[in-house]
């Protein structure tokens, strides 16, 4: 991803969202834009118009934290947007040569694999910053069976959201999930602008999905920590599950994602039924494989 172009578009998109009234600025005469002008942002941030113009043209190289904080306050950025701005600034001071050596897919440690496998009652996954599912326990694979069944997805949750027709049935609140996925992908792109696989994924989605292209153009950002999702599974029907995402502390960038439901709830019953269905299907597959090997 072009760090300068991303920075420029992000700053302009945030500037366009703030009215002078929201910023506490007087309004004189007729304005051609709904948002703030560059000179108004510069005034609010306490920098010269020339300096802010340099920033909005995408040049964050060498910018101090104090200027970034002033800019975040002037543009009324929330915590996620502020983090993204700092990520863009850090990326501006890196070179492709320094970053490219760190874009290999990290391996899932055996201890992490055991943690995922040791929670048979909860769908559990390990995913990387490109949203590839690297490992999943049986119930996780069963919950996202339609993603695994679609060869286009490649066990990638963002591809599933935008490229699989099944996703719009599976996610009851598809648009909310889709916008969140785009925002989360933009956060990762800001952190890893020289990751070729990540850039290729964004290019692929932009080419193949009109919805992704429109949402990507909004330059919104999002972080998945926890929350609820309403799903419509082809086997157990509609269920509402809670999810938690936990970053591994080893610097690998891997995330453990867990889905759960309150004990005694309809969703918990649905997950129990899904676990039974998964075990039955797995046993049938093993029997078929044994029969094939004997023939």
């Amino acid at each position: 991803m072009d760090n300068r172009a991303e920075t420029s578009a992000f700053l302009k998109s945030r500037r366009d969202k703030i009215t002078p009234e929201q910023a506490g600025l007087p309004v004189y005469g007729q304005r051609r834009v709904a948002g703030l002008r560059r000179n108004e942002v510069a005034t609010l941030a306490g920098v010269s118009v020339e300096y802010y113009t340099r920033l909005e043209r995408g040049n964050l190289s060498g910018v101090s934290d104090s200027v970034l904080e002033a800019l975040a306050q002037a543009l009324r950025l929330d915590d996620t947007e502020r983090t993204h701005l700092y990520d863009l600034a850090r990326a501006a001071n890196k070179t492709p040569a320094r970053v490219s050596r760190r874009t290999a897919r990290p391996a899932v440690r055996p201890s992490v694999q055991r943690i995922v496998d040791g929670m048979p009652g909860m769908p559990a996954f390990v995913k990387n910053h490109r949203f590839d599912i690297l490992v999943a326990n049986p119930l996780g694979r069963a919950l996202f069976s339609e993603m695994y069944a679609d060869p286009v997805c490649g066990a990638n949750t963002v591809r599933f959201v935008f490229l699989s027709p099944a996703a719009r049935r599976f996610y009851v609140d598809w648009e909310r999930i889709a916008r969140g996925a785009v925002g989360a992908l933009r956060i990762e792109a800001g952190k890893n602008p020289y990751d070729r696989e990540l850039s290729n994924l964004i290019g692929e989605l932009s080419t193949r999905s009109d919805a992704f292209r429109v949402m990507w153009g909004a330059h919104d950002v999002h972080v998945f920590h926890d929350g609820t999702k309403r799903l419509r599974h082809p086997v157990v029907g509609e269920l509402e599950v809670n999810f938690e995402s936990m970053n591994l502390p080893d610097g690998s960038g891997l995330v453990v994602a867990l889905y759960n439901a309150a004990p005694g709830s309809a969703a918990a019953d649905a997950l129990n039924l899904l676990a039974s269905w998964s075990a039955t299907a797995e046993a049938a597959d093993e029997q078929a494989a044994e029969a094939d090997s004997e023939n």
Side-chain angles (χ1 to χ4, degrees):
M1 188 181 71
D2 186 334
N3 178 264
R4 279 181 171 253
E6 170 63 19
T7 298
S8 177
F10 177 69
L11 291 177
K12 186 177 185 305
S13 70
R14 300 309 95 175
R15 174 165 65 86
D16 289 345
K17 286 191 170 186
I18 305 171
T19 65
E21 291 82 1
Q22 290 172 327
L25 296 174
V27 179
Y28 301 106
Q30 188 170 357
R31 298 173 64 92
R32 296 181 180 179
V33 295
L36 296 179
R37 300 186 178 107
R38 285 180 175 177
N39 66 306
E40 292 169 332
V41 176
T43 298
L44 291 170
V47 299
S48 68
V49 177
E50 292 76 13
Y51 188 64
Y52 176 73
T53 300
R54 169 204 158 189
L55 300 181
E56 195 175 288
R57 285 175 178 167
N59 186 0
L60 293 181
S61 179
V63 177
S64 68
D65 287 352
S66 61
V67 170
L68 292 175
E69 187 57 34
L71 193 57
Q73 292 183 19
L75 293 173
R76 304 168 70 91
L77 303 185
D78 61 25
D79 290 343
T80 302
E81 292 169 330
R82 178 183 281 103
T83 299
H84 184 54
L85 177 62
Y86 276 77
D87 287 339
L88 291 172
R90 279 190 287 270
N93 292 296
K94 296 178 181 178
T95 64
R98 288 171 57 191
V99 179
S100 61
R101 291 192 294 269
R102 297 194 290 272
T103 57
R105 292 173 182 259
V108 177
R109 301 195 313 276
S111 61
V112 176
Q113 177 78 65
R114 288 193 293 271
I115 290 172
V116 171
D117 292 338
M119 293 183 287
M122 293 184 186
F125 313 86
V126 178
K127 59 184 179 180
N128 62 18
H129 69 278
R130 305 181 193 100
F131 300 89
D132 300 310
I133 301 298
L134 303 183
V135 297
N137 65 8
L139 188 52
R141 293 183 66 90
L143 184 62
F144 280 82
S145 58
E146 292 189 288
M147 179 186 72
Y148 284 103
D150 191 337
V152 171
C153 300
N156 182 283
T157 57
V158 184
R159 280 198 186 95
F160 176 57
V161 169
F162 287 99
L163 301 185
S164 176
R168 290 180 182 262
R169 300 189 302 269
F170 181 70
Y171 292 110
V172 177
D173 305 312
W174 179 86
E175 184 165 348
R176 178 177 67 86
I177 296 297
R179 291 189 181 280
V182 171
L185 191 62
R186 185 172 291 282
I187 286 283
E188 297 302 333
K191 293 178 182 178
N192 305 280
Y194 304 114
D195 186 325
R196 181 165 295 181
E197 287 188 54
L198 184 59
S199 296
N200 289 344
L201 173 62
I202 294 168
E204 175 191 358
L205 294 169
S206 298
T207 301
R208 301 180 63 184
S209 170
D210 292 338
F212 178 87
R213 188 164 54 251
V214 170
M215 293 180 188
W216 185 257
H219 292 274
D220 292 330
V221 290
H222 183 77
V223 174
F224 284 112
H225 287 307
D226 57 76
T228 61
K229 292 182 182 179
R230 291 195 299 155
L231 310 176
R232 188 179 294 111
H233 195 277
V235 174
V236 299
E238 190 168 317
L239 66 162
E240 183 173 302
V241 293
N242 303 310
F243 70 89
E244 299 281 345
S245 296
M246 296 170 284
N247 295 304
L248 293 180
D250 57 5
S252 64
L254 299 183
V255 174
V256 177
L258 305 172
Y259 289 76
N260 65 88
S265 65
D269 292 340
L271 288 179
N272 290 334
L273 178 60
L274 188 60
S276 177
W277 170 79
S278 174
T280 301
E282 185 176 358
D285 289 342
E286 290 177 355
Q287 291 177 357
E290 290 177 2
D292 288 343
S293 64
E294 292 174 357
N295 294 334

